[in-house]
């Protein structure tokens, strides 16, 4: 037992020091990611060889134990060694030799695959590489680069060979007011670049460790000039790796994005180290934060990519004949020849230079659906054939979302919308132009039933609605690369999805969702290591742009009115949809919102978006008494406080005098059987700081009363908002 403890502690310590190779981490073996779509895939091969390596080593240990074993007690180690040579001439020697040969042979094969065919890099070295990349490349971040305006890609996927070969062209335009004489090109380290040419271009300097090249342009690109960048790349994982295999190209369920197979231009700080302790360890500044909200120069780029504005694209994907290749755009060609299937796609509207490319043995459920405005959209769900449980629910959510958003925001810009299942190597959904890759673990292997709607959140409908909403918030309007950028994408997508949830499932399901978001936000803000920021300054902090964003936008809707919020969003789209730089920021939205909401909501807008505002709302006592006329006097004693917090969590109480929702209920809102019929009365009352009493006259005696029962306010303890009613004498 003590030996096992020492072994475990030493392995943990050595791992942290960078000794992470499976050849000397006892019993270690490569991961075998599992999925229903792809089973064990090709991943079991590496694990089997590493297990054979350690099994051979254990065989050597067992043979050694046999050589030194004696019956009874008292033999010294020297005596045991004298006995060993005699036993070697028996079968134990042959076993030891065989195990040693197997151990050395499998070890050599593991080393060849992990270190020669592929790149082996322990985490300590990977961290150092990112730190070195920042020191070398960050200085090029603001070097003017031409803009990608059109993309052509031909991606040839060979699932069984774990290989993708890409031939492509970028049409580049100099949109700066001065010549551009250097082109900075970056590719993933694992991508082999077979061709990279541009008229007048020559390689001036390469940074092979970082996959970065500087091409000198002679003559320089003049303002307004266009040139064509041609490239060919090969991405492949040969054999097997030491620990974490790639999961993008697999036998069934390949999911790539274009940055994995094609070059990007310029330098993005998003690729560098983010963890503060690691940055400190490598002598870097504590944080590499985005530009401030006030920095108008940052509006030259959006936050997805700096090398392009909106592009047109032609994408061709080839794969095995029994699979379906998919990319964004309208299908213009589909043919099968010599065991290979090719589909070509062309965009109908400007899109982000951010594509998904997928291939799998799909079944397809499709339907033509027409919006109230007369637009016909082809809806498609590509799924693993046995995974049919939630397909109809996804189609219903697609219709509800596309219809609602087209009506309230702007027309949908495409004639197709696709959901595509991918293996559960990741558990997210991601919205590309008219195409949403959707993890099997998030929406396909479950079996959500209508009867569950009153008991839990309809996750499939919510996720689908959120990703459809991104066709507006990121694929029509996208934020500048600065503080507040994800307010204009993730937060607005949260709000849009909640509109769909309210339409399909009612306010009671929205209440469950807001309660969940409130609890998650409050838990997460306590773990902030840099600085909690107001909504308008969020720095890609999920607990703010997702969790708090849902609460902020829903309260805004409830207090200023849905029409006001939607009108503000429509105006933002009208001004910025699919237009090049300058890109909008949070202040652009807030200026429109203030115009629409009017001066009486000025303080509310500031509280929600420009401050960190918290509440303490509590129902302390509730009573009811029957009157002579048969009605009931109902009273509720509440306590209310309002605080402002800074980025480090320090809170300061401020005077409160504002409307807060209060209500009477037949069934507690936190009960599973709560429905819209459970509400007796729900209204806004102006509450002040301190203890006060709320009174009603009701036709029936409520079972429960509450303050902010639907969780619109960011209440530090929302579990004390309800109070069961006791009868008076």
């Amino acid at each position: 037992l003590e030996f096992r403890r020492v072994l475990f502690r030493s392995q943990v310590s050595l791992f942290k020091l960078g000794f992470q190779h499976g050849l000397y981490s006892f019993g270690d073996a490569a991961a075998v990611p599992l999925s229903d779509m792809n089973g064990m895939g090709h991943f079991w091969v590496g694990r089997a060889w590493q297990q054979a390596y350690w099994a051979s080593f254990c065989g050597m240990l067992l043979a050694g134990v046999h050589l030194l074993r004696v019956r009874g007690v008292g033999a010294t180690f020297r005596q045991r060694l004298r006995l060993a040579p005699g036993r070697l001439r028996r079968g134990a020697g042959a076993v030891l030799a065989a195990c040693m040969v197997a151990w050395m042979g499998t070890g050599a094969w593991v080393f060849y695959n992990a270190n020669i065919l592929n790149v082996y890099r322990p985490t300590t070295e990977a961290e150092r590489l990112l730190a070195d990349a920042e020191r070398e490349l960050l200085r090029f971040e603001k070097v003017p680069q031409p803009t990608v305006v059109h993309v052509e890609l031909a991606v040839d996927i060979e699932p069984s060979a774990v290989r993708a070969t890409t031939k492509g062209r970028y049409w580049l335009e100099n949109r700066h007011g001065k010549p551009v004489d250097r082109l900075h090109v970056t590719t993933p380290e694992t991508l082999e670049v077979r061709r990279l040419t541009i008229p007048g271009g020559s390689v001036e300097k390469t940074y092979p460790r970082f996959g970065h090249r500087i091409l000198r342009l002679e003559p320089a690109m003049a303002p307004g000039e266009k040139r064509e960048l041609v490239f060919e790349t090969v991405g492949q994982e040969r054999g097997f790796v030491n620990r974490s295999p790639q999961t993008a190209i697999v036998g069934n369920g390949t999911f790539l994005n274009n940055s994995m197979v094609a070059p990007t231009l310029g330098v993005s700080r998003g690729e560098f180290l983010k963890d503060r302790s690691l940055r400190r360890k490598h002598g870097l500044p504590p944080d590499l934060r985005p530009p401030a909200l006030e920095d108008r120069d940052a509006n030259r780029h959006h936050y997805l990519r700096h090398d392009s504005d909106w592009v047109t694209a032609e994408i061709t994907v080839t794969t095995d004949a029994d699979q379906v290749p998919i990319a964004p755009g309208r299908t213009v060609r589909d043919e099968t020849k010599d065991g290979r299937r090719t589909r070509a796609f062309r965009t109908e509207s400007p899109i982000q230079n951010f594509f998904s490319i997928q291939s799998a043995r799909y079944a397809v459920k499709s339907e033509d659906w027409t919006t109230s405005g007369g637009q016909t959209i082809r809806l498609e769900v590509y799924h693993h054939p046995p995974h049919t449980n939630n397909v109809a629910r996804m189609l219903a959510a697609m219709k509800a979302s596309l219809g609602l958003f087209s009506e309230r925001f702007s027309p949908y810009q495409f004639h197709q919308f696709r959901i595509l299942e991918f293996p559960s190597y990741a558990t997210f959904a991601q919205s590309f132009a008219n195409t949403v890759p959707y993890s099997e673990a998030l929406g396909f292997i479950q079996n959500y039933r209508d009867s569950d709607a009153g008991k839990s959140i309809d996750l499939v409908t919510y996720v689908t609605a959120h990703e459809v909403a991104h066709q507006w918030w990121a694929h029509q309007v996208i934020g500048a690369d600065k503080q507040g950028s994800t307010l204009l994408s993730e937060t607005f997508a949260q709000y849009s999805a909640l509109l769909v949830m309210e339409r399909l499932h009612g306010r009671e399901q929205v209440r469950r969702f807001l309660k969940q978001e409130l609890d998650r936000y409050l838990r997460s803000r306590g773990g902030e290591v840099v600085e909690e920021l107001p909504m308008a300054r969020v720095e890609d902090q999920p607990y703010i742009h997702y969790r708090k964003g849902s609460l902020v936008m829903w309260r805004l809707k409830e207090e200023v009115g849905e029409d006001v919020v939607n009108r503000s969003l429509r105006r933002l789209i009208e001004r910025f949809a699919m237009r090049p730089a300058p890109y909008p920021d949070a202040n652009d939205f807030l200026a429109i919102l203030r115009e629409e909401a009017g001066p009486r909501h000025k303080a509310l807008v500031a509280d929600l978006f420009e401050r960190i505002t918290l509440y303490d709302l509590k129902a302390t006592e509730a009573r009811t008494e029957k009157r002579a006329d048969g009605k009931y006097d109902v009273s509720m004693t509440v306590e209310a406080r309002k605080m402002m917090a800074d980025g480090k969590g320090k809170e300061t109480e401020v005077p409160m005098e504002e409307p807060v929702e209060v209500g009477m209920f037949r069934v507690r809102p936190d009960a599973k059987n709560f429905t819209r019929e459970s509400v007796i009365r729900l209204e806004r009352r102006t509450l002040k700081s301190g203890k006060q009493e709320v009174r009603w006259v009701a036709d029936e005696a409520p079972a429960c009363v509450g303050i902010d029962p639907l969780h619109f306010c960011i209440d530090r303890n929302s579990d004390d908002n309800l109070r069961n009613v006791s009868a008076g004498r």
Side-chain angles (χ1 to χ4, degrees), residues 225-245:
E225 182 185 350
K226 292 184 179 180
R227 290 190 196 178
E228 185 181 287
L229 177 70
V230 180
F231 55 88
E232 181 178 352
T233 67
V234 178
Q236 181 177 18
E237 186 175 87
R238 298 174 176 84
F240 55 87
V241 297
N242 173 62
R243 182 174 301 277
S244 300

Side-chain angles (χ1 to χ4, degrees), residues 369 371 377 379-381 393-406 409-414 416-419 429-438 460-477 489-490 492-497 500 573:
W369 178 73
T371 68
I377 303 171
L379 306 179
E380 298 174 327
V381 179
R393 186 173 299 278
M394 290 177 178
L395 286 168
M398 289 157 69
K399 295 174 189 176
S401 303
L402 289 166
L404 190 148
F405 305 153
S406 296
F409 302 144
S410 68
Y412 180 55
Q413 66 268 41
F414 305 109
Q416 61 281 320
F417 187 85
R418 308 180 181 110
I419 285 178
Q430 188 172 14
S431 192
F432 298 82
N434 61 65
T435 303
V436 174
Y438 205 130
V460 172
T461 296
Y462 159 70
V463 172
T464 302
H466 179 98
E467 300 308 328
V468 173
H470 276 308
Q471 300 301 307
W472 281 261
W473 313 118
H475 293 291
Q476 286 194 30
V477 170
S489 53
E490 298 300 347
F492 289 172
Q494 289 287 91
Y495 166 72
S496 305
V500 175
I573 290 173

Side-chain angles (χ1 to χ4, degrees), residues 489-553:
S489 53
E490 298 300 347
T491 300
F492 289 172
Q494 289 287 91
Y495 166 72
S496 305
L498 284 174
L499 292 179
V500 175
M501 298 291 281
E502 182 183 43
R503 171 175 285 189
L504 295 181
H505 296 303
R507 288 165 64 87
E508 55 274 12
Q509 180 138 153
V510 172
R511 179 200 183 276
R512 291 189 182 93
F513 188 87
L514 293 178
K515 168 63 173 170
Q516 174 180 283
E517 296 290 81
L518 174 61
D519 291 344
R520 288 179 175 179
Y521 164 67
L522 292 173
R523 284 196 299 268
S524 298
R525 67 188 297 264
E528 176 62 70
V529 297
V530 180
E531 179 184 10
E532 181 181 356
L533 293 162
M535 280 298 319
R537 296 181 180 274
V538 59
E539 295 181 358
D540 195 22
Q541 296 156 295
Y543 77 98
I544 297 177
H545 63 227
Y546 287 128
R547 313 304 171 210
K548 183 179 180 181
S550 299
L551 300 161
V552 162
M553 291 300 295

Side-chain angles (χ1 to χ4, degrees), residues 164-177:
T165 302
T166 302
K167 296 180 180 179
R169 299 171 185 269
Y170 289 163
W171 274 257
L172 308 180
E173 179 181 353
N174 180 3
R175 293 184 172 175
H176 300 278

Side-chain angles (χ1 to χ4, degrees), residues 172-467:
L172 308 180
E173 179 181 353
N174 180 3
R175 293 184 172 175
H176 300 278
K178 57 184 178 181
V180 172
D181 62 358
R182 299 290 191 283
L183 190 65
H184 288 257
V185 184
T186 301
T187 54
E189 179 190 29
T190 55
L191 201 62
E192 176 191 351
V193 180
R194 292 184 173 177
R195 184 184 183 189
L196 186 69
T197 61
I198 186 172
S202 60
V203 177
E204 181 177 77
K205 188 171 184 178
T206 61
Y207 297 85
R209 292 178 65 210
F210 317 132
H212 191 83
R213 297 167 177 81
I214 303 177
L215 304 183
R216 183 180 181 86
L217 302 179
E218 293 182 339
M221 286 183 70
E225 182 185 350
K226 292 184 179 180
R227 290 190 196 178
E228 185 181 287
L229 177 70
V230 180
F231 55 88
E232 181 178 352
T233 67
V234 178
Q236 181 177 18
E237 186 175 87
R238 298 174 176 84
F240 55 87
V241 297
N242 173 62
R243 182 174 301 277
S244 300
Q246 67 82 33
T247 56
I249 307 173
V250 295
N252 183 38
T254 293
F255 170 23
L256 296 160
N257 68 57
N258 58 315
S259 64
M260 297 177 179
V261 298
T264 57
L265 306 185
V267 173
S268 171
R269 61 175 57 193
E271 303 301 320
F272 301 140
L273 280 174
K274 295 180 177 61
D275 185 274
R276 295 189 99 198
S277 60
L278 293 179
R279 294 184 63 81
R280 184 167 55 248
K281 172 184 172 183
H282 291 280
L284 298 172
D287 302 299
L288 196 60
R289 296 173 67 169
L293 180 57
E294 293 78 13
D295 185 353
R296 294 297 297 179
D297 188 57
N299 293 63
R300 294 182 303 152
H301 302 290
H302 61 72
Y303 72 89
L304 274 181
R305 289 180 67 140
H306 280 198
D307 63 0
S308 52
D309 291 320
W310 301 87
V311 303
T312 52
E314 297 179 28
I315 309 167
T316 302
V317 185
T318 301
T319 187
D320 292 346
D322 64 342
Q323 300 201 10
V324 182
I326 295 291
R330 177 171 57 90
T331 304
V332 295
R333 180 164 60 94
D334 189 347
E335 60 184 22
T336 302
K337 184 179 179 181
D338 299 330
R340 304 285 288 165
R341 183 176 181 182
T342 299
R343 292 179 82 186
F345 305 87
R346 183 176 298 147
T347 58
E348 314 160 276
S349 178
I351 66 173
Q352 299 290 350
N353 186 15
F354 184 48
F355 317 135
S356 67
I357 299 161
Q358 292 180 251
S359 171
R361 291 185 285 274
Y362 285 124
V364 185
K365 178 68 174 176
S366 61
E367 181 179 341
D368 287 331
W369 178 73
T370 304
T371 68
S372 59
Q375 180 185 5
T376 299
I377 303 171
R378 182 73 169 178
L379 306 179
E380 298 174 327
V381 179
Y382 292 77
H383 61 92
H384 189 46
H387 293 174
T388 59
N389 292 333
N390 298 318
V391 171
R393 186 173 299 278
M394 290 177 178
L395 286 168
M398 289 157 69
K399 295 174 189 176
S401 303
L402 289 166
L404 190 148
F405 305 153
S406 296
E407 170 193 324
R408 300 188 184 179
F409 302 144
S410 68
Y412 180 55
Q413 66 268 41
F414 305 109
H415 288 91
Q416 61 281 320
F417 187 85
R418 308 180 181 110
I419 285 178
L420 304 102
E421 183 177 7
F422 68 87
S424 56
Y425 307 136
T427 56
F428 60 80
Q430 188 172 14
S431 192
F432 298 82
N434 61 65
T435 303
V436 174
Y438 205 130
S439 171
E440 65 176 352
L442 190 61
F444 286 92
I445 59 177
Q446 305 89 343
N447 187 9
Y448 192 92
R449 300 178 178 88
D450 288 333
S451 58
D452 297 329
K455 303 173 185 177
S456 60
I457 294 169
D458 182 351
L459 186 64
V460 172
T461 296
Y462 159 70
V463 172
T464 302
H466 179 98
E467 300 308 328

